[in-house]
């Protein structure tokens, strides 16, 4: 079980790295309105920082942040495909959107698998006890 746990950690970090690169490609290659570029840049910085923390520490905060950002990326792709971007009548779903959605789902799945494989500590005591 420890080998599977380590593999999930590494694969989640790799998937987050690929998600960062996909977001960077979407930012650089696509022509958006300036407010969409600012939103993409903000999410890109947060995903990159979370990827570093996930690789370095792989603690609860990093996993929760990775989960939240993956969910945000997936939801943004779905909402853009269904409702479109404000100010644009139609926004076609491209390969970068599909890759973003797939990588987001992969990260969420790996984090869920990693959580299931963690041993349950029955008596940890208070986290604030000195």
């Amino acid at each position: 079980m420890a080998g599977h746990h380590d593999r999930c950690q590494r694969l989640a970090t790799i998937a987050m790295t690929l998600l960062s690169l996909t977001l960077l490609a979407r930012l650089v290659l696509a022509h958006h309105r300036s407010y969409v570029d600012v939103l993409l840049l903000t999410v890109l910085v947060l995903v990159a920082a979370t990827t570093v923390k996930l690789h370095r520490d792989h603690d609860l905060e990093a996993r929760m942040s990775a989960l939240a950002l993956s969910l945000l990326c997936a939801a943004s792709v779905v909402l853009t495909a269904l409702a479109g971007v404000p100010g644009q009548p139609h926004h076609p779903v491209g390969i970068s959107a599909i890759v973003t959605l797939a990588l987001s789902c992969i990260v969420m799945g790996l984090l869920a698998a990693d959580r299931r494989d963690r041993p349950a500590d029955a008596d940890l005591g208070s986290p604030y006890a000195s």
Side-chain angles (χ1 to χ4, degrees):
M1 188 176 340
H4 182 69
H5 174 66
D6 294 339
R7 188 174 14 174
C8 283
Q9 288 180 14
R10 285 191 300 257
L11 290 175
T13 303
I14 291 169
M16 286 290 289
T17 303
L18 293 174
L19 183 60
S20 296
L21 293 174
T22 303
L23 291 172
L24 180 63
R26 289 181 78 178
L27 180 66
V28 172
L29 299 177
H31 300 289
H32 300 105
R33 294 180 184 252
S34 60
Y35 71 92
V36 176
D37 287 339
V38 170
L39 289 173
L40 269 174
L41 181 62
T42 303
V43 172
L44 172 63
V45 169
L46 291 172
V47 169
T50 299
T51 303
V52 170
K53 181 150 178 64
L54 190 65
H55 174 68
R56 189 185 60 204
D57 300 332
H58 201 75
D59 56 0
L60 177 65
E61 291 84 9
R63 289 191 310 272
M64 292 300 291
S65 178
L67 180 66
L69 288 169
S70 297
L71 187 60
L72 175 73
C73 289
S76 69
V77 169
V78 171
L79 286 174
T80 300
L82 295 177
V85 177
Q88 295 180 353
H90 184 266
H91 188 75
V93 176
I95 189 72
S96 65
I98 294 170
V99 170
T100 301
L101 181 62
L103 287 170
S104 297
C105 291
I106 289 169
V107 168
M108 289 185 281
L110 287 168
L111 292 173
D114 185 42
R115 174 66 184 119
R116 278 194 308 264
D117 291 340
R118 289 185 175 275
D121 294 331
D123 187 24
L124 291 176
S126 173
Y128 305 107
S130 52

